[in-house]
Structures are given as C-alpha cells and as structure tokens.
Amino acid sequence: KEAEERARQRPRVFKEPKKCPPLGLESHKVEPDQLSASSAAQYRYAAQRARLNMQGSDDEDNMRGGAWCANAEDRIHWFEIDARRETEFTGVITQGRDSLNDDFVTSYYLAFSNDSREWSTIHDGYADWLFFGNSDKDTPVMNQLAEPVLARYIRIIPQSWNGSLCMRLEVLGCPVLVQYRQNEVTPVDYLEFKHHSYSEMVSLMKSVNDECPNITHIYSLGRSSKGLDIMAMIISGNPTEHEIGEPEMRFTAGLHGNEATGRELLLLLMQYLCKEYKDRNPRAQRLVEGIRIHLVPSLNPDGHEEAFEVGSELSGWTTGHFTEEGFDIFQNFPDLNNILWEAEDKGMVPKLMPNHHVPIPENLETNNSIAVETRTIISWMKNYPFVLGANFQGGERVVAYPYDSLRFDVTEWGRGYHEEPEEDWRGRGYPRVTADESLFRWLAVSYASTHLTMTHSYHGSCQGDSAGAGHGIVNRAKWKPITGSMNDFSYLHTNCFELSVFLGCDKFPHQSDLSYEWEKNKEAMLTFMEQVHRGIRGVVKDQQGNPIANATISVEGINHDVTTSPTGDYWRLLNPGEYRVTARAEGFSPVTKLCVVGYQSGATACSFNLAKSNWDRIKQVRQHWPETTLHPHFGPTLRY
Ligand SMILES: *[C@@H]1O[C@H](CO)[C@@H](O)[C@H](O)[C@H]1NC(C)=O
Ligand SMILES: *[C@@H]1O[C@H](CO)[C@@H](O)[C@H](O)[C@H]1NC(C)=O
Ligand SMILES: *[C@@H]1O[C@H](CO)[C@@H](O)[C@H](O)[C@H]1NC(C)=O
Ligand SMILES: *[C@@H]1O[C@H](CO)[C@@H](O)[C@H](O)[C@H]1NC(C)=O
Ligand SMILES: *[C@@H]1O[C@H](CO)[C@@H](O)[C@H](O)[C@H]1NC(C)=O
C-alpha cells in the first residue's frame, strides 16, 4: 500500500526514455534455458510458458499452459531472464494468462544482476520502485525505464496479482558490444527494412513501379469495408496481360491484419525482383519472364491499420486480426468440402458430379456472413488463371496444406478417401486427404526445406503443440481444423493450389528483425515460385486451331481435374511420373495422351487438338432436317 502510494505520488519523468528492441521471448530468439522462475504451479505452467502472447489450452491434461504460474504456497516469487550478455535493459512488457480465468500481475519490482547472485532493485532513493502491471489478462502493458540499466540478468518480482500469480512477458534491451545478428546477416542496402503504414505501402509500390515500369503493374482487387483499396502488384515480362502458356501465381499476406511479417516480405520481394531483374540476375529474369506473379501484401488493410497504430510490441494476439466488421477472412469462404465429400461418399464423383469447380450454393452468394473482403478475394481468384498460391500468416512456424477442414459425417468411412480413423478423431470428424496429397506435401516441403530455420526441430513449435513435428509441414485439418478456409475453397472452386505459410511465433516482429526475416524466407519464396513450372502444361484447340476454353484436363488416378483458361491454355501441377491425361470439352471427342513429367525443371508440354464429336455433327445435321429423331444418349462423347 505504502509503495503504491509513493509510486502514485512520484513526479512524472519527462525525459524521453531510451528505446531498445525486444530480447525475443515472443519470437523464441530467447531460448528455453534462458528463462527460470522461483517456482511453477505445475509443469504446464513452467517458466518456458512465460513468453508474450503464448497460447494455452484449457484442457488440464495438455502441457500447453497459457502462462508461467507460480506455486501459490510460496512466499517469495520471481521470474528471471538471462540475456547471456551484458545488456542495457530499457523496459518490460507484461500480460496475464491466456485462459478463461482472470489471472494477471498488477504490480512488481524489477531487479538486475551481473552474476545472478547479487541483485540490485530499481530504487527511488527511499524504497524499491513499484511498477504497475496489468488490469486484464490479454492486453500487454509496457513499463519503460527512465534510465537504461546495464546488467546480464533481470528479475521481475511480482507484488500483487488478480486471481492466480500468472504472467507472460517480453523484455526490452540493447545488447552491448557485439550486435550478433547484424554480423550474421549483411542486409542488401537497396531494400527498405521497416514496417509500412497503408500510405507508405502504397507509395513504396508506386516507387517500385516507377523504377521498373515495363515489368510491373499495380491494380486494386477492390475495397475493404473502411474503403481502403486492396492493392496488388503484378511482376512479369508483359504485366498487363495474360500471355498464352505463361502460368500465373500469387502470394498474399495480411489476411489477419496483425500478422505483419508477410506484408513486409512481399514489399521486399517487389523491390528485390525489380532490382535483380534490372541487374540481369538470371534467376530473377527467368522468374519474371516465365511467370505472371501477383503480390498482394495486405488483404485486410483495415485490420493492419488497427494493429499498426498500437505497434509491433503491444498489438497483442488479436488486435487487428479480424476485419472491421469482425470477420476472420481466412476462414470466411463458402464451405464446399461437405458438398463434394457427400457426393464422393455416394459414389457420384466424377460420373454424376465433377470433382472440381464445385459451385457455390446460391444462398451463400447472398449470405451476409461473408465479408466484403472475402467476396472481393473470391472474384479476384476467379478472374485470373492462377495455378499456385500461398498466403502468409503468423503465430506458428510451419507450412500448412489442405484440406483444412475435417469431415464430420462419420456414418460411412468415406470409401478410401480418408486415412484410417483414429480413436482420437471420433466425434469431432476426421481428416480427409486431397486427391493431390503428395503434390501438396511436395509444395509444402519446397518452402519449409529452403527456409533457413523452419525445419530446425530443436526450436520446437511456438505454442508447444506438435505442429510440423520437425519437418516444417503439416496438414491443417490434423493440426488446427477450420471450415471455409481460403485454401480449401481455392482447391475446390478454382484451378489454384493454395497453401498457408506460418512465418514465425511473433506475429508482428520488431522492425529490427525484418532483415533477418527476409534472409530466412528469400530462398524459400523464390523456390516456391519456381514450383509453378512442375508438371504439365499445354493448349487445347479445335481442329481449326481455335483455343477451347473451359475444357477439362483429367489425370488418370487423380480424382481432381483442372480446366483450360479462356485462352485455351492449362497447367496441371504434378510430381515426376508418367500420366495418362485426357482432355474433354463439350461437343468434342475426348483425347487421351501419355505425358511424362521428369525431374528436370520446366513443365512438360502436353497439348491437345480435339475433333468435333459425332453427336455434335449429328446435332448440326438435325438442325437441317429437324424431323430426324435420334436417341439422345447416342454417341460416346457426352462428358463422363
Ligand atoms: C554490471 O556490470 C557493469 C560493468 O561491467 C556495471 O556498470 C553495472 O552497474 C553492473 N550491473 C549491476 C546490476 O550490478
Ligand atoms: C479478478 O479475479 C477475479 C477472480 O479471482 C475475477 O472475478 C475478477 O473479475 C478479476 N478482476 C478483473 C479486473 O479482471
Ligand atoms: C523496358 O524498357 C527499357 C527501356 O525502355 C528497355 O530497354 C527494356 O528492354 C524493356 N524491358 C522489357 C522487358 O520490355
Ligand atoms: C451463411 O453462412 C454461414 C457460414 O457459412 C452459415 O452458418 C449460415 O447458415 C448461412 N446462412 C444462410 C442463410 O445460408
Ligand atoms: C464449363 O463447363 C462446364 C461443363 O463442362 C459447365 O458446367 C460450366 O458452366 C462451364 N463454365 C463456363 C464458365 O463456361
């Protein structure tokens, strides 16, 4: 009480305090053995759970506690961080426990040491300086030190709390002497490593466009609910039009406005491709000339504005995650999975119902629980012949591939479409594999294995569950199932194969981490883009050489077809192998070919010329002699 009173009376310090970046409890740069505490209530609330924004499980059998919690029977409590080197500490950010309870620390002292034995607390000349902590369990609260304190160890000594003594935290400090990370990485000087506000993002895109006018083109997908344009940049040899035979791919970011790393990576990728293309880097030239690349850094610009305002350290787990109207865009797409799966289970696919381009039910078209941003993204996805895509997210370090949704109807076990149900899945649905499982796994591996740290299993996962299990890839439905995901929708309603890349534990990393984020992801992004050339591609034409739009391309043994674009060209991503491929179009006789996909890079050309079917010719005859009667099921050429 006395200390609180003194703390309230203390004159405010008006000097601007020194600002340092976080040590990295949230990003996991700080390793588990750097964290220790006076006690732990249980193993699931060990000191290693004290990282800012750590997500817990309310299931008591789960090891994922939502904070560090002290043993209630102890009298003295402290939490200690070993910075491992002499550090100028400048502040502390605290947060309560992630759970349904209201557990948080309301005041604490700070102590510092060079050897972890002799401690000196921050003192105001009369008594220890009391810092005020949290007033709810979720909102991070920062205390900055008026003067930096030089030491190696820091202790937070809780004095009062609400509910149980539980906390999550981050510590701000500048390491003295060696700036390790800056030695590891030599950032390229033409790249702009900073977080960009909406207007800064737009002007950066314009400056790249000015720099590289004949390989870039800026356009808007449409507007967010607050009226901000969702900006995209095309990078390609001939950016303003689709070139026949050239595949289109997309990278998107910022579906969740507070997951800011992907946004900055895409802005960096724009600068990189423009500069390297101009400098005649052969790999950049191949990418730019061989692909029409669409980069969309911010699918939820309203959410980003909200998180950006609070800043990288205090934006918390959900600030700006949703759209202005409260939607999580990534899981706001029409659920087509159950429509297809039910038809598959009844044996209707592909004979009676196509295995691709599942139509959106009419009531969903007008359903007002679909966000304006989602509708905008859907029409964008249908406007371009996208082949491959990835969306960048945050809060974990793994590449997740579809299906993202679980199958809930467990009356029939789906006739071989799913994996053996485990006891565990009963009652909450079971995962079902896509017809392109091995390809999706390859695409996920192509990113994870070329990323600098995604497959480092000793880092563990961010929240302590088994995401990725050391390989850096995971099937989303087995990990964290959701319905109505962008990836499932993309696979079931369009030709595009889409995955999610979770870039790291800290959704909104400090600006000083961005150059390292770029180094970690640069090769992976380039490699992933190159995968658009894996498989077969070609053009479907009639015998007069006119392209046939909307023809279907089926690969024997893979129950998922793709269709040709309005210019008759198609791309079918496939792993190496020999495939029997059939092209079909209404009014034409189907043609089947053997197409071989090798290990070398570059898609195998596999084009088709289709002849008008007999049935079609007879129809024409019938128009001349309308009284001729024919059996309507005549002819081998009706689809399926
Ligand atoms: C730690 O050592 C440095 C000198 O190396 C000294 O300036 C500093 O005050 C010491 N910190 C503490 C908490 O004793
Ligand atoms: C403090 O904790 C109690 C339960 O221990 C809870 O009922 C109360 O709402 C909490 N206070 C606040 C401000 O969250
Ligand atoms: C872009 O424009 C420059 C100058 O006009 C020209 O030299 C270059 O060949 C052009 N590149 C492309 C891909 O058209
Ligand atoms: C609208 O969509 C939501 C989510 O997909 C669904 O739960 C709801 O039943 C739909 N409403 C109508 C009228 O179709
Ligand atoms: C594409 O063809 C299918 C049948 O093959 C048809 O149902 C669909 O309406 C066609 N789509 C377009 C855009 O023409």
Side-chain angles (χ1 to χ4, degrees), residues 550 552 586 639:
N550 194 27
T552 57
E586 212 151 292
R639 284 182 74 247

Side-chain angles (χ1 to χ4, degrees), residues 86 112-114 120 150-151:
E86 201 158 78
F112 298 88
S113 169
N114 281 325
S120 46
L150 192 62

Side-chain angles (χ1 to χ4, degrees), residues 60-300:
E60 284 294 323
D61 298 331
N62 192 301
M63 282 302 132
R64 294 196 290 119
W68 160 64
C69 297
N71 185 346
E73 280 153 30
D74 285 14
R75 295 191 56 93
I76 294 171
H77 305 284
W78 47 260
F79 187 87
E80 180 175 321
I81 296 136
D82 174 4
R84 285 193 178 152
R85 62 182 72 103
E86 201 158 78
T87 301
E88 271 192 297
F89 290 102
T90 58
V92 171
I93 299 170
T94 58
Q95 194 179 32
R97 171 159 82 107
D98 175 45
S99 80
L100 301 173
N101 297 347
D102 287 305
D103 300 331
F104 50 87
V105 169
T106 50
S107 70
Y108 55 87
Y109 293 129
L110 289 179
F112 298 88
S113 169
N114 281 325
D115 56 12
S116 178
R117 285 195 302 273
E118 305 255 322
W119 291 90
S120 46
T121 37
I122 294 194
H123 207 267
D124 65 2
Y126 301 97
D128 291 340
W129 189 304
L130 190 72
F131 293 89
F132 292 112
N134 299 89
S135 46
D136 65 50
K137 65 188 164 68
D138 294 318
T139 315
V141 170
M142 175 161 70
N143 273 302
Q144 287 175 290
L145 306 183
E147 295 285 345
V149 177
L150 192 62
R152 170 171 163 178
Y153 300 88
I154 178 174
R155 269 188 186 178
I156 289 85
I157 306 171
Q159 295 302 301
S160 59
W161 48 90
N162 193 62
S164 305
L165 197 181
C166 296
M167 69 193 305
R168 294 177 285 173
L169 59 147
E170 182 62 89
V171 171
L172 307 173
C174 301
V176 277
L177 299 176
V178 265
Q179 289 271 337
Y180 270 76
R181 216 149 13 85
Q182 289 187 358
N183 291 352
E184 278 168 25
V185 182
T186 41
V188 189
D189 55 5
Y190 65 81
L191 296 173
E192 201 174 286
F193 294 108
K194 59 170 266 192
H195 285 294
H196 293 79
S197 69
Y198 183 79
S199 60
E200 289 167 340
M201 173 186 87
V202 173
S203 54
L204 178 70
M205 289 171 75
K206 289 201 169 121
S207 75
V208 171
N209 183 227
D210 287 344
E211 195 69 26
C212 291
N214 47 9
I215 59 157
T216 62
H217 171 65
I218 299 177
Y219 66 100
S220 164
L221 274 61
R223 295 234 167 126
S224 70
S225 62
K226 274 171 76 182
L228 295 177
D229 274 309
I230 301 174
M231 302 300 292
M233 176 177 278
I234 298 181
I235 305 187
S236 192
N238 190 0
T240 52
E241 55 191 73
H242 172 73
E243 288 179 295
I244 294 177
E246 187 179 60
E248 307 214 10
M249 75 86 57
R250 62 180 185 234
F251 275 139
T252 57
L255 282 153
H256 306 136
N258 56 341
E259 294 166 8
T261 314
R263 170 193 183 99
E264 297 307 325
L265 287 180
L266 293 187
L267 294 176
L268 289 163
L269 186 60
M270 291 171 190
Q271 299 168 63
Y272 175 85
L273 286 174
C274 163
K275 179 73 162 62
E276 296 298 315
Y277 178 84
K278 287 217 300 196
D279 289 352
R280 301 186 182 280
N281 169 338
R283 191 182 188 190
Q285 287 186 315
R286 265 197 310 277
L287 282 167
V288 170
E289 277 156 16
I291 310 172
R292 195 161 180 230
I293 304 161
H294 298 245
L295 305 177
V296 189
S298 187
L299 285 176
N300 176 7

